[in-house]
Amino acid sequence: MNFDKGAYYVSPDAASVVEWYAQEYLWRKSIYALKESFELGSIFSVLALIALLIFSTYVAVKASAPAYLLLLIHPQLIDLAFSQVRSATAMAAIYLALLLPWRLLKYGFVAVAAFIHSAVLVFVGAFAVGQLITRFNVARRHHILISAGYIGAVVVAATLLKSYLLGSIGDRRAMIEVNTSGFLLTIMVTAYAVPFMFFNQMFSRKFAAFMVLLASSLCFAMYLYNQNGIRFVALALPALAVAISGIPDVQWRRLTLTAAVASQIIFFGYWAKGIL
């Protein structure tokens, strides 16, 4: 509706990278450019479809079995793809980057993702951390410190420093109030990270597990500060499927998959009743 009314203003003299990032001008200009040739409804439908295809391809390629695609049939991911198309498109660019073997193209998609939706900067930073650890062959004992340190820094930035950081770059969300998710829902999605915290420090060695722990930790911390971080967990659901498939112990892998599917079914039940 806002695009149809021309409500998303793009400053003609905006030259600052920070302004383009904070106001997400790349997304606005891209949609307006596409609107010249296509219907808005078709644009958003195609973007939702592309995002879902990339999510599915990522899981199909990275997971150990096709069965893990079932974890994508999740209310959070469905809602993300169809009602938060911008977030889904930005995150799809990151998952696509994780699939590509060409370094420059990989980095290009990750950089574009942050300019589509500034919230995915959390995962852009995680991607950078993972690349640095891999490229510089960081000693294994330092993996945990670096990964945990990044998660801690993101949590502090998104809670204690959120208003200051967003306000300093003119991001409109510095002043927007949001409704928090329910306590039980927050606990349920936070539990997604539990296996990767205690299973041989898996989050420090597997990037998908690192993403899940980051998203769940951020969601829980934001709940404590009366903010809504559920979207970050939704963005990490494809990574959850891949991370579960990578648990080395077969029995623990099956148990974790069963628990994830059970929570998904419960989620669907409440979602269908309109409670969530």
Side-chain angles (χ1 to χ4, degrees), residues 39 44 48 64 87-88 112 118 143 162 178 182 184-185 187 193 201 215 249-250 260 268:
E39 294 288 333
F44 282 94
S64 59
S87 297
V112 166
S118 56
H143 283 196
K162 178 183 177 182
V178 296
L184 292 178
L185 175 61
I187 292 298
Q201 291 82 43
D249 186 279
V250 176
F268 253 117

Side-chain angles (χ1 to χ4, degrees), residues 26-77:
L26 178 62
W27 170 257
R28 299 183 186 188
K29 287 187 74 69
S30 298
I31 297 298
Y32 279 133
L34 290 171
K35 184 175 178 289
E36 296 294 325
S37 304
F38 305 99
E39 294 288 333
L40 276 171
S42 298
I43 294 170
F44 282 94
S45 294
V46 170
L47 287 174
L49 175 61
I50 291 173
L52 288 172
L53 285 174
I54 292 175
F55 295 157
S56 302
T57 302
Y58 170 76
V59 175
V61 171
K62 295 289 187 178
S64 59
Y68 291 95
L69 285 166
L70 291 173
L71 293 178
L72 298 185
I73 309 174
H74 195 291
Q76 280 186 280
L77 197 65

Side-chain angles (χ1 to χ4, degrees), residues 71 73-77 184-198 202-203 208-217 219 230 232-241 243-244 247 256-268:
L71 293 178
I73 309 174
H74 195 291
Q76 280 186 280
L77 197 65
L184 292 178
L185 175 61
T186 301
I187 292 298
M188 184 172 74
V189 298
T190 299
Y192 288 155
V194 172
F196 314 116
M197 292 174 63
F198 300 105
M202 187 177 171
F203 76 91
F210 178 38
M211 290 179 67
V212 174
L213 183 60
L214 170 63
S216 293
S217 300
C219 178
I230 288 292
F232 291 103
V233 178
L235 293 170
L237 284 173
L240 174 67
I244 292 175
I247 295 176
T256 305
L257 177 61
T258 301
V261 171
S263 70
Q264 188 172 324
I265 293 172
I266 294 171
F267 204 130
F268 253 117

Side-chain angles (χ1 to χ4, degrees), residues 37-275:
S37 304
F38 305 99
E39 294 288 333
L40 276 171
S42 298
I43 294 170
F44 282 94
S45 294
V46 170
L47 287 174
L49 175 61
I50 291 173
L52 288 172
L53 285 174
I54 292 175
F55 295 157
S56 302
T57 302
Y58 170 76
V59 175
V61 171
K62 295 289 187 178
S64 59
Y68 291 95
L69 285 166
L70 291 173
L71 293 178
L72 298 185
I73 309 174
H74 195 291
Q76 280 186 280
L77 197 65
I78 294 170
D79 181 68
L80 177 78
F82 291 102
S83 69
Q84 301 179 56
V85 180
R86 185 159 56 97
S87 297
T89 302
M91 199 63 195
I94 293 178
Y95 283 118
L96 180 59
L98 292 172
L99 290 169
L100 296 174
W102 306 286
R103 185 175 297 171
L104 289 179
L105 198 56
K106 182 192 294 283
Y107 294 165
F109 274 109
V110 172
V112 166
F115 284 89
I116 294 175
H117 200 302
S118 56
V120 302
L121 185 63
V122 167
F123 297 106
V124 171
F127 176 88
V129 169
Q131 290 292 304
L132 288 172
I133 289 175
T134 302
R135 187 168 184 182
F136 292 100
N137 196 24
V138 176
R140 182 177 176 181
R141 63 180 179 275
H142 295 147
H143 283 196
I144 298 175
L145 293 177
I146 295 173
S147 301
Y150 177 75
I151 292 173
V154 167
V155 166
V156 171
T159 53
L160 295 174
L161 303 178
K162 178 183 177 182
S163 297
Y164 171 76
L165 293 174
L166 294 180
S168 65
I169 61 173
D171 194 307
R172 65 191 183 280
R173 279 161 297 193
M175 302 303 294
I176 295 177
E177 294 185 4
V178 296
N179 294 323
T180 61
S181 56
F183 175 73
L184 292 178
L185 175 61
T186 301
I187 292 298
M188 184 172 74
V189 298
T190 299
Y192 288 155
V194 172
F196 314 116
M197 292 174 63
F198 300 105
F199 200 95
N200 195 25
Q201 291 82 43
M202 187 177 171
F203 76 91
S204 67
R205 296 181 291 108
K206 302 289 186 179
F207 184 71
F210 178 38
M211 290 179 67
V212 174
L213 183 60
L214 170 63
S216 293
S217 300
L218 187 56
C219 178
F220 183 73
M222 292 180 74
Y223 171 81
L224 296 178
Y225 281 83
N226 296 315
Q227 301 174 32
N228 196 337
I230 288 292
R231 177 173 57 184
F232 291 103
V233 178
L235 293 170
L237 284 173
L240 174 67
V242 173
I244 292 175
S245 77
I247 295 176
D249 186 279
V250 176
Q251 292 185 341
W252 277 106
R253 188 191 315 149
R254 290 175 178 171
L255 178 62
T256 305
L257 177 61
T258 301
V261 171
S263 70
Q264 188 172 324
I265 293 172
I266 294 171
F267 204 130
F268 253 117
Y270 282 96
W271 185 59
K273 294 178 182 178
I275 296 175

